[in-house]
Amino acid sequence: MNVFFKDSNKKNSLKIIWEAIHYGILKKTLPVDYFRKFLYRKDIKNYKDYLSLKEYYSIIESKKMVFPEVSALLLNKLIFKWVCEKQGLPVAPLLGYSLHSQLIVGNQVSWTGSKETLLQKFNKLLEGTTTNQLFLKPIMGIGGQGCMIISKSNLMESVIRHQKALLEQSYLIEEYIQQHPTINEIHPFAINTLRMVHYIDSNNTVHILSVLMRFGIGTSITDNTSTGGFSIAVNSKTGVLEGPGRQDLAKGGAVYSKHPDTQVALEGFVIPYFQEACNLVKKSAKYFPNRIVGWDIAITPSGPVIIEANHNPSLHLSDVAYGGYKKHPLIKEILKEINI
């Protein structure tokens, strides 16, 4: 609420009170998202077109939209990776994985019970990479938490700093991918991803419901809004960034026309290989047929690569980027089908 009170772009107090009450009555719930989605700001005229938290959960918890056995494939990043590789879908190369203190590389299982062993194993894995970097992420992690980059230059420092986590938790170990150079110009420290939401209609046709792009800030190695990054709308037909970038309210609620670190203008930037990314999501959706899924897609110099897919696709970000999801004809179709 500190961000709200300090926001100079607020509507007048009486208008905010009236709209928040009206939003709550209309949605039959507490008007939490009136504030979380910046609907109190002067530039938002259509506050009724935004999903409430109740409507959001009605979609992602609907047994007509989301199926537990598919969600289980998406939740476990290792299983998800294996399915993608089996179906020939482009992903970051999997070098191995750890299960607590066990390291599995190919069919070799070894115990990594000491700092010295970790150094030896990671050094050997690094020798087989083309980028000289490893990307580790928790197998059951969410929101970019716990991810780390290990390179030859920071190997000792990384092992010392993360030794406890590396010995006690479970990680996917990937070769760090190269990001497209034009995206690197905006933010080079993180792999900045497209969040592409697919929707499968009642005729089994796959649609791209909406697209946004996320960017990291500072030296953060992840682009998640939960780790301080921001998101911006993407035109789902042209692949062009539109409007301002927005940081999550809980992280400061900043609004950006340029990336705050590189000062590169955001609006009008054309995402490379955008149509190929759309085609990849539509193809991949058939192997993970929850009717609504949020895909994180990176763009490399040679095309799109799947980072992960989310059974809980953070529709509040897409709602804000779209400018009110209830205007979307396919969202109207979804809400009608689930009787909301």
Side-chain angles (χ1 to χ4, degrees):
M1 295 305 291
N2 285 335
V3 175
F4 165 72
F5 286 122
K6 293 178 181 178
D7 197 331
S8 61
N9 192 32
K10 294 193 300 289
K11 300 168 185 174
N12 70 65
S13 298
L14 287 177
K15 191 173 185 65
I16 290 172
I17 292 169
W18 157 248
E19 287 186 355
I21 292 172
H22 186 218
Y23 184 89
I25 293 172
L26 187 68
K27 306 291 188 178
K28 300 178 182 178
T29 187
L30 291 173
V32 175
D33 275 10
Y34 179 82
F35 298 95
R36 185 169 68 139
K37 296 178 179 177
F38 312 107
L39 308 187
Y40 63 82
R41 286 180 172 168
K42 294 175 183 177
D43 53 318
I44 303 297
K45 311 297 182 185
N46 61 323
Y47 66 92
K48 293 179 286 185
D49 290 331
Y50 290 76
L51 295 176
S52 68
L53 202 58
K54 181 180 177 181
E55 289 167 324
Y56 163 71
Y57 278 116
S58 296
I59 293 172
I60 67 164
E61 293 180 353
S62 169
K63 294 180 180 179
K64 294 181 178 180
M65 295 289 141
V66 177
F67 314 114
E69 62 273 28
V70 179
S71 295
L73 300 177
L74 302 174
L75 276 165
N76 188 300
K77 292 178 172 59
L78 179 57
I79 295 174
F80 174 75
K81 175 79 76 170
W82 280 340
V83 175
C84 287
E85 288 183 336
K86 179 70 174 176
Q87 301 303 337
L89 303 174
V91 290
L94 177 64
L95 303 179
Y97 58 96
S98 68
L99 298 173
H100 299 281
S101 59
Q102 299 294 105
L103 176 65
I104 297 91
V105 178
N107 61 0
Q108 300 295 313
V109 181
S110 55
W111 181 66
T112 56
S114 68
K115 178 182 71 177
E116 290 71 25
T117 307
L118 285 171
L119 287 168
Q120 178 187 8
K121 297 297 182 182
F122 286 135
N123 190 56
K124 188 172 182 179
L125 285 171
L126 281 164
E127 288 175 355
T129 66
T130 56
T131 59
N132 295 314
Q133 290 179 306
L134 306 176
F135 190 77
L136 277 67
K137 55 185 175 184
I139 287 176
M140 298 297 290
I142 58 172
Q145 300 293 330
C147 294
M148 62 185 84
I149 295 174
I150 294 179
S151 64
K152 289 190 175 182
S153 61
N154 74 358
L155 178 55
M156 178 67 78
E157 177 192 350
S158 297
V159 169
I160 292 173
R161 181 188 303 175
H162 302 294
Q163 182 177 352
K164 181 176 173 61
L166 290 169
L167 294 177
E168 296 179 359
Q169 298 178 25
S170 300
Y171 289 91
L172 210 64
I173 305 171
E174 302 173 334
E175 180 171 353
Y176 193 72
I177 63 173
Q178 291 185 340
Q179 183 167 244
H180 196 282
T182 60
I183 299 175
N184 265 338
E185 291 175 6
I186 299 177
H187 186 256
F189 295 103
I191 299 298
N192 307 288
T193 57
L194 294 166
R195 167 58 61 87
M196 311 184 78
V197 182
H198 89 230
Y199 163 61
I200 303 175
D201 67 22
S202 56
N203 296 316
N204 286 321
T205 301
V206 182
H207 303 269
I208 302 297
L209 193 61
S210 63
V211 187
L212 58 83
M213 191 160 191
R214 301 177 305 182
F215 289 97
I217 289 179
T219 56
S220 173
I221 64 169
T222 60
D223 63 357
N224 304 74
T225 55
S226 59
T227 56
F230 66 91
S231 59
I232 182 171
V234 178
N235 186 300
S236 59
K237 294 181 179 178
T238 64
V240 175
L241 300 188
E242 294 184 335
R246 297 180 178 89
Q247 193 179 44
D248 194 84
L249 190 65
K251 296 298 180 180
V255 177
Y256 302 112
S257 60
K258 300 178 180 179
H259 193 284
D261 299 317
T262 59
Q263 299 304 305
V264 174
L266 299 169
E267 186 164 19
F269 176 81
V270 180
I271 297 165
Y273 295 109
F274 181 73
Q275 192 55 56
E276 288 85 349
C278 292
N279 294 339
L280 175 59
V281 167
K282 289 181 178 181
K283 176 183 178 181
S284 304
K286 298 174 182 178
Y287 299 108
F288 302 95
N290 270 0
R291 294 181 59 195
I292 190 162
V293 169
W295 294 84
D296 294 340
I297 305 294
I299 306 298
T300 74
S302 57
V305 168
I306 298 168
I307 299 299
E308 60 185 57
N310 303 271
H311 79 290
N312 180 347
S314 301
L315 292 183
H316 62 283
L317 292 177
S318 301
D319 193 13
V320 171
Y322 189 80
Y325 242 169
K326 292 199 77 173
K327 298 184 298 182
H328 198 306
L330 294 177
I331 289 291
K332 291 179 181 179
E333 182 179 302
I334 292 169
L335 293 174
K336 183 178 180 181
E337 183 174 347
I338 63 177
N339 296 317
I340 296 297

